[in-house]
Amino acid sequence: MQGQLDEAHAAIIREKEEAKLAIEQAPPVIKEVPVVDNTKLELLKNQNDELEVTSDTVQLPNIT
């Protein structure tokens, strides 16, 4: 009985070492996550709208 217990304990230690080695050798997982800053997008959209209004009101000189 003690022999079986020793074998099981040795097997657990081997599996643990193999798992540790596999983790060390595994390539890192790089996951890209899109980041959206809605505040900045709204600010830029409002500035763009203002520029469009301003550009509509500005008249270019007539060059001939």
Side-chain angles (χ1 to χ4, degrees), residues 28-41:
V29 176
I30 300 173
K31 188 174 185 180
E32 293 186 25
V33 178
V35 177
V36 178
D37 184 359
N38 289 330
T39 306
K40 188 69 171 180
L41 286 174

Side-chain angles (χ1 to χ4, degrees), residues 20-28:
K20 190 183 294 186
L21 183 62
I23 290 170
E24 290 173 357
Q25 292 178 348

